[in-house]
Amino acid sequence: MVTSSVALAHKGVPRLPAGIPQERRELTWRERQIVVLASAGMSAPEIGRRLGISRHTVRNHLKNIYRKCSAHNRMEILLYAMRQRWLDLDGKPRALATR
């Protein structure tokens, strides 16, 4: 694994071994809140009102979430939240992730 990573890095393709999380892919505290609310079926304007931010800000967060999670729709975000154990199997939120 190290040899292939070194070879790729030498070619200009940065890559970390699978077991090492990439910092840029971790969701922020606010993004985690939005994942949970979006998974509950709330729209961007509803999430914005709930969190005291604009719907445009919510949409920007959602774009970042989709990119970081390699998701294409809200169902994939729901599944991601369940894998992270932010939601119970019935889709109800557990305690929101803390800062």
Side-chain angles (χ1 to χ4, degrees):
M1 179 61 88
V2 173
T3 305
S4 63
S5 295
V6 171
L8 287 172
H10 186 68
K11 291 180 182 179
V13 181
R15 180 171 171 254
L16 293 174
I20 300 174
Q22 295 181 9
E23 187 68 30
R24 64 179 163 70
R25 290 190 172 239
E26 291 181 10
L27 298 184
T28 65
W29 175 75
R30 179 64 92 187
E31 289 168 343
R32 291 177 190 184
Q33 285 182 310
I34 291 173
V35 165
V36 170
L37 296 173
S39 296
M42 294 178 75
S43 67
E46 290 171 329
I47 294 170
R49 282 192 295 276
R50 182 82 169 276
L51 299 178
I53 58 178
S54 79
R55 64 188 159 113
H56 301 293
T57 301
V58 173
R59 288 189 179 128
N60 284 334
H61 282 302
L62 285 168
K63 286 179 194 175
N64 290 333
I65 292 164
Y66 287 134
R67 180 181 46 80
K68 289 179 179 182
C69 299
S70 299
H72 299 95
N73 56 51
R74 288 200 182 202
M75 179 57 72
E76 291 178 7
I77 295 297
L78 170 69
L79 295 173
Y80 178 84
M82 291 176 85
R83 281 193 304 272
Q84 297 300 314
R85 297 187 178 156
W86 299 337
L87 300 174
D88 290 327
L89 292 178
D90 61 1
K92 292 185 180 179
R94 293 180 177 192
L96 279 178
T98 59
R99 289 183 182 196

